Amino acid sequence: VVRGLDGRDEGDLERIVKTATERFGKLDILVNKAAITHFGPAEELKKEDAERVLGINVIGTMMGVKHAVPALKANGRGVIVNISSVDGLRGCNGLIAYTASKWAVRGMTKALAFEYGPLGIRVVSVHPGGVNTQMGNPAGETGEALQRHYRGVPLQRIGEPEEIARTTLFVCSDDASYISGAEIAVDGGW
């Protein structure tokens, strides 16, 4: 994992693919995870806020694919996992730019599965619900104060980052070798 890169910067993306390929001898997996959100009513959304969300969440994902695919093609196989959101399956009040971006990632995943499946590259989207991260729990709440927000979710709790990671690892494994174009919800039944 490399942190502190700008997913919109093609130079950063080229460097990360080159570094991974040099370090490990090849590239097997791309996980497009970078994301930001913006809360507020649609009529108050500023163009620059929408452009920032869409730039990181959508264009960054596209550029990640652009720079990773040549290395994946060289292997004759690979996996691309695009981290979307439960909001890319159902939408959310007050998150118009974020929801639009996550629906775009969902659609992009379908298109990429068709484009690269014949080359042995699987593409899957993972759709987390609320996750106990800085983005999902910005106030840093714990215990009942945190869980009360999730009583309407069938499992009645927030997800943990490790649960999303384990699902992503499964999707990347040979145990998931016939899964492509799929949308995997990891959302507590949301």
Side-chain angles (χ1 to χ4, degrees):
V1 174
V2 178
R3 299 181 190 276
L5 300 177
D6 186 336
R8 299 167 295 178
D9 183 326
E10 289 197 71
D12 279 354
L13 295 168
E14 286 175 319
R15 279 188 294 283
I16 198 168
V17 169
K18 182 179 182 208
T19 299
T21 304
E22 287 173 354
R23 182 170 179 190
F24 301 107
K26 61 180 180 168
L27 186 69
D28 296 303
I29 298 165
L30 168 67
V31 178
N32 279 307
K33 160 86 182 77
I36 61 166
T37 190
H38 180 81
F39 295 96
E43 70 268 16
E44 295 176 12
L45 181 65
K46 294 179 182 161
K47 181 180 178 192
E48 56 269 18
D49 292 329
E51 288 173 341
R52 184 167 180 260
V53 170
L54 295 172
I56 291 170
N57 298 5
V58 179
I59 304 299
T61 298
M62 287 179 183
M63 294 299 101
V65 169
K66 172 186 174 180
H67 291 287
V69 160
L72 296 172
K73 285 169 63 175
N75 290 343
R77 63 180 297 217
V79 182
I80 297 170
V81 179
N82 294 321
I83 305 296
S84 181
S85 168
V86 67
D87 297 325
L89 297 171
R90 65 174 188 87
C92 186
N93 183 23
L95 289 173
I96 185 171
Y98 179 76
T99 297
S101 75
K102 294 307 183 173
W103 278 78
V105 169
R106 179 183 178 196
M108 186 185 328
T109 298
K110 298 286 190 186
L112 292 167
F114 276 104
E115 186 171 348
Y116 294 112
L119 301 176
I121 300 170
R122 297 185 298 107
V123 188
V124 177
S125 58
V126 172
H127 298 259
V131 181
N132 193 9
T133 62
Q134 186 176 4
M135 190 165 102
N137 181 12
E141 294 180 310
T142 60
E144 184 54 35
L146 173 60
Q147 300 307 340
R148 76 175 187 277
H149 303 294
Y150 294 90
R151 293 297 173 224
V153 175
L155 291 185
Q156 299 188 352
R157 66 176 179 82
I158 194 169
E160 293 299 326
E162 295 80 11
E163 293 172 299
I164 311 311
R166 284 193 299 268
T167 300
T168 302
L169 281 171
F170 166 73
V171 168
C172 293
S173 76
D174 288 339
D175 289 338
S177 61
Y178 200 57
I179 297 174
S180 191
E183 302 159 348
I184 312 294
V186 189
D187 63 357
W190 206 338

